[in-house]
Amino acid sequence: VAMQRIKIFGIILRIYRVLTPPQRKKALLNAALILGNAFLEVFSLAAVLPFVALVLDSSVIRANPYLNRAFLFFGFGSENQFMIAAVLLLLLLFILKNGIGVFIHYYQSRFAYDVSTELSGQAFGEYYAREYARITDTNSSLPTRDIIFIPTEFSIYVLLAAITLLSECFIFLLICAGIAFYDPRVFLLLTVVLSPALFLLYRLKKGKLERIGKQSEELKPLSIKYLFQGIYAYIDAKLYAKERYFQQRFSSLQRELNRSFALFNTLNAIPARLLETIALLGMVAIVLYGLAVSDNRQEIILLLGVFGAATYRVMPSINRILIALVNVKTFKYTLDILEESRRTSSHASPENLHPAAALRLEKFIALHNVSFSYSDNPSFRLNKVNFMLKKGETVGLIGKSGSGKTTIINIMLRFLKEQSGEILLDGRPLKPGDTAAWRSLIGYVKQAPFILDGSIKENVAFGEAPGGIDAERLALALEQAGLDDWVAGLPRGVETQIGEQGTKLSGGQRQRIAIARALYRRSEILIFDEATSELDRETEREIVSAIESLSGQKKTIFIVAHRITTLKPCQRIYELKEGEIAGFYQYADLREREFEGGK
């Protein structure tokens, strides 16, 4: 038990370290409220005992100097009037005590849920602060768990439970001290009766709580993963009649997870049942004790009253202490995850530390001797890649799958960092602190653009609050992307809902939405990453035509493609082979090679 106390105090210290300084101040205020509430609880309990004595023997009013002085001062006409006033005063005290208790409980709960909200926000921010390589190596179910579930479970089952534990321990110790002072016999009886019960509960739960927590930690991300897979595999699952496969994988994990929580809830219900039985045994012991050592029935009744008043408050307190211990031990893994998250995010990404002033493209962008390799794929390497984009030019990059096109784009977007070489902006190397300013110059249109489950307006003005969307910029972006006529023909115009991932759009319309998004940002540099690879030839020609019109507006455009026809607007096209620039061509040269049976 002593080791358990040490562990609990260690957990409380860890909880304190996880909290931010403002949260710690609120936690200390909670502790102060808890202490005040504990004294109020003890005082209200102590007030019951004189009342019991008063009911059993009204002559106490005259015999006790304090009660007699109150009787005379307020001018009561009889002892019954005095007792009625005492009852009303006791009732008022308990109403006040319970009202204050409800307020403190609300304050504690609001504090815990506010912490949950802040931790969720921090976890979301930490997700965006991660390096791209770490994002690609992490299953999406883990961030979902860490952002939504871990903060809530920590706040309710660890933080709030720890606050409850401290509160009830204060109350329990004060009540025990008061009982020991008032009647050592009742205190001794409580100790003898409760100690075996508490030891039994400890032995019953030992080991089971950590196992439940471990199962939750392991199974919850898997359950989320299989749910996501089943949702996003809708078409394939229906087409190949594999709905049951996804349902069964998800359901089997949920069944195992929920059974562990059924055991958790059962363990939480045991203390109340057991303590109720123990309280009855205590009363039986008092009666037997009184009959054995005394013939004074009034003394037995008074002893029962004292024991009843004590158990009325002590038993629920012990029950809440045990439940809090169960919660803290079961969900301690959430604290482990939060601490690990703090350790991994303690070093901020360089791009967020010292943001540079705004950048401008005046002359050219160049990759100079850029090299890069993946630690888990030593067979691939970008080797001293060099090419240039002059301001207002449209330049292309072509190459087979696996040649390094995507790696070059990720380096240009600063999701990957070149291991040697540099990116030059007007001859000046980009620094780590330039990342945010550099990205503000770029509009990126990828093979499968992300489409919000929202309106056309929300998708084009990506991330803008509805009230902050510039209508003129929106209209211009739609016009430049060739969407203005289509949008004008829609009943709700730019307010038209286009479905999750653009399910209500054609492939060409999704690409044009992505182009309009880049143009709404007034991007100086446009990067097209296999933007037509999933489109039919007719739609590809429409997108290429849109790109040509953009190049006429002096936009600097970089097109990465494996279809030669997509590169028609380019003034110069680089060919990438096995991580190296193999040469550069004009569009007509590559078309001639294609017709001759080459690329």
Side-chain angles (χ1 to χ4, degrees):
V1 175
M3 285 300 295
Q4 286 298 110
R5 274 202 306 270
I6 293 170
K7 287 182 180 179
I8 291 298
F9 286 131
I11 289 172
I12 291 173
L13 183 60
R14 290 170 61 193
I15 292 170
Y16 184 78
R17 288 171 179 165
V18 162
L19 300 178
T20 62
Q23 290 169 349
R24 290 173 184 173
K25 290 179 181 178
K26 289 184 179 180
L28 292 173
L29 178 57
N30 269 279
L33 290 173
I34 288 166
L35 186 58
N37 190 52
F39 280 109
L40 190 58
E41 290 278 359
V42 173
F43 178 75
S44 60
L45 179 62
V48 173
L49 303 179
F51 178 75
V52 173
L54 196 64
V55 170
L56 292 173
D57 185 5
S58 60
S59 65
V60 172
I61 298 173
R62 299 291 186 179
N64 187 291
Y66 298 106
L67 294 179
N68 186 53
R69 192 176 303 163
F71 182 88
L72 296 173
F73 180 80
F74 290 104
F76 288 104
S78 67
E79 292 175 351
N80 283 343
Q81 288 181 358
F82 184 89
M83 290 176 66
I84 291 170
V87 169
L88 294 176
L89 186 62
L90 185 66
L91 179 62
L92 182 64
L93 174 64
F94 269 78
I95 291 172
L96 178 65
K97 185 258 305 183
N98 288 323
I100 292 173
V102 168
F103 168 76
I104 291 173
H105 182 77
Y106 167 73
Y107 187 83
Q108 291 172 354
S109 298
R110 193 180 70 176
F111 166 67
Y113 282 101
D114 284 347
V115 169
S116 173
T117 302
E118 291 176 29
L119 287 174
S120 290
Q122 289 170 11
F124 209 169
E126 191 273 331
Y127 174 79
Y128 279 121
R130 294 177 187 177
E131 293 183 353
Y132 177 71
R134 186 179 167 202
I135 295 293
T136 57
D137 287 342
T138 303
N139 188 283
S140 60
S141 61
L142 289 175
T144 303
R145 179 200 67 179
D146 294 349
I147 293 169
I148 297 177
F149 297 109
I150 294 300
T152 303
E153 290 177 349
F154 166 78
S155 298
I156 296 172
Y157 296 112
V158 179
L159 178 59
L160 201 55
I163 290 172
T164 301
L165 188 62
L166 289 174
S167 170
E168 296 301 332
C169 282
F170 275 132
I171 294 169
F172 178 74
L173 291 174
L174 285 170
I175 291 174
C176 287
I179 292 170
F181 177 77
Y182 181 82
D183 195 327
R185 294 174 301 173
V186 175
F187 174 75
L188 182 62
L189 183 61
L190 277 171
T191 304
V192 170
V193 169
L194 291 177
S195 295
L198 296 177
F199 179 75
L200 179 63
L201 283 172
Y202 170 74
R203 296 298 300 175
L204 182 66
K205 297 180 179 184
K206 186 180 179 182
K208 291 184 176 66
L209 304 177
E210 284 90 347
R211 188 164 64 250
I212 293 171
K214 189 70 176 174
Q215 279 184 315
S216 180
E217 180 184 4
E218 293 173 352
L219 297 181
K220 198 166 286 180
L222 287 175
S223 178
I224 296 168
K225 182 178 80 169
Y226 292 148
L227 175 62
F228 283 0
Q229 287 181 351
I231 290 172
Y232 293 123
Y234 175 84
I235 291 176
D236 296 273
K238 296 289 286 186
L239 182 63
Y240 299 119
K242 294 297 181 182
E243 301 99 323
R244 291 291 300 164
Y245 169 75
F246 290 103
Q247 290 170 6
Q248 287 171 352
R249 286 207 303 177
F250 173 73
S251 297
S252 63
L253 281 171
Q254 282 295 104
R255 187 179 300 109
E256 190 175 351
L257 189 62
N258 288 331
R259 282 178 178 172
S260 70
F261 280 113
L263 176 59
F264 167 75
N265 287 332
T266 303
L267 291 173
N268 266 348
I270 289 174
R273 305 286 183 181
L274 184 59
L275 290 171
E276 183 181 286
T277 306
I278 296 299
L280 182 60
L281 288 174
M283 289 187 176
V284 170
I286 287 176
V287 172
L288 294 175
Y289 165 80
L291 292 173
V293 302
S294 175
D295 292 330
N296 189 342
R297 298 296 177 89
Q298 194 176 44
E299 183 183 359
I300 296 173
I301 293 172
L302 182 60
L303 200 59
L304 279 172
V306 173
F307 183 81
T311 53
Y312 167 77
R313 191 58 190 86
V314 170
M315 294 300 183
S317 186
I318 293 174
N319 184 45
R320 283 190 279 269
I321 288 170
L322 291 172
I323 290 174
L325 283 170
V326 168
N327 290 342
V328 169
K329 288 181 69 64
T330 304
F331 291 92
K332 183 175 73 68
Y333 74 91
T334 62
L335 183 57
D336 299 333
I337 291 171
L338 287 173
E339 287 177 327
E340 177 62 26
S341 177
R342 289 286 170 90
R343 281 192 292 270
T344 56
S345 63
S346 59
H347 301 290
S349 177
E351 67 193 59
N352 300 319
L353 289 178
H354 304 291
L359 299 177
R360 297 284 298 174
L361 171 60
E362 302 291 347
K363 298 177 181 177
F364 68 90
I365 306 161
L367 268 66
H368 176 64
N369 288 336
V370 168
S371 297
F372 181 87
S373 63
Y374 296 95
S375 57
D376 58 350
N377 185 14
S379 61
F380 170 81
R381 178 175 175 78
L382 281 183
N383 186 31
K384 294 185 177 180
V385 170
N386 291 275
F387 63 79
M388 178 184 292
L389 290 83
K390 295 179 182 178
K391 183 175 181 178
E393 266 192 325
T394 301
V395 174
L397 181 68
I398 195 167
K400 295 180 179 179
S401 296
S403 61
K405 302 190 302 296
T406 299
T407 302
I408 286 177
I409 286 180
N410 283 329
I411 289 172
M412 291 184 70
L413 296 173
R414 312 315 284 151
F415 292 126
L416 296 176
K417 178 70 172 66
E418 61 277 3
Q419 291 157 348
S420 64
E422 54 199 358
I423 296 181
L424 303 175
L425 176 64
D426 296 332
R428 171 186 173 273
L430 288 182
K431 300 173 183 177
D434 292 329
T435 300
W438 166 252
R439 285 178 181 157
S440 70
L441 300 177
I442 296 174
Y444 178 48
V445 181
K446 59 181 179 178
Q447 182 175 347
F450 177 77
I451 302 295
L452 293 168
D453 184 9
S455 65
I456 294 172
K457 177 173 71 174
E458 290 172 313
N459 273 278
V460 174
F462 185 80
E464 293 275 354
I469 295 174
D470 188 316
E472 291 185 7
R473 281 171 58 192
L474 176 66
L476 180 61
L478 291 170
E479 180 185 349
Q480 291 175 327
L483 288 170
D484 49 334
D485 290 339
W486 169 67
V487 171
L490 296 172
R492 298 191 61 196
V494 293
E495 301 292 345
T496 302
Q497 299 293 311
I498 56 181
E500 187 175 20
Q501 285 302 317
T503 52
K504 299 178 182 179
L505 303 177
S506 67
Q509 287 168 339
R510 281 196 293 271
Q511 293 303 117
R512 287 178 183 271
I513 289 285
I515 293 170
R517 180 183 296 169
L519 294 170
Y520 181 85
R521 297 183 71 220
R522 295 174 175 165
S523 304
E524 296 183 35
I525 306 160
L526 299 177
I527 297 178
F528 291 85
D529 180 10
E530 303 282 8
T532 63
S533 62
E534 295 184 356
L535 306 179
D536 58 66
R537 293 292 181 181
E538 179 60 31
T539 308
E540 180 195 17
R541 280 193 287 271
E542 292 175 4
I543 297 298
V544 169
S545 176
I547 295 173
E548 285 180 318
S549 68
L550 292 173
S551 63
Q553 299 171 33
K554 302 301 181 183
K555 295 286 185 183
T556 304
I557 301 174
F558 183 53
I559 305 174
V560 176
H562 68 268
R563 282 185 186 175
I564 293 174
T565 49
T566 304
L567 301 171
K568 183 180 178 183
C570 298
Q571 283 97 47
R572 186 169 64 262
I573 302 165
Y574 292 92
E575 184 177 16
L576 191 65
K577 282 186 178 180
E578 297 179 353
E580 297 183 350
I581 299 294
F584 63 90
Y585 310 90
Q586 299 297 312
Y587 175 71
D589 299 332
L590 292 178
R591 287 293 288 172
E592 186 177 341
R593 280 174 48 179
E594 184 180 41
F595 288 130
E596 290 175 354
K599 271 191 75 67

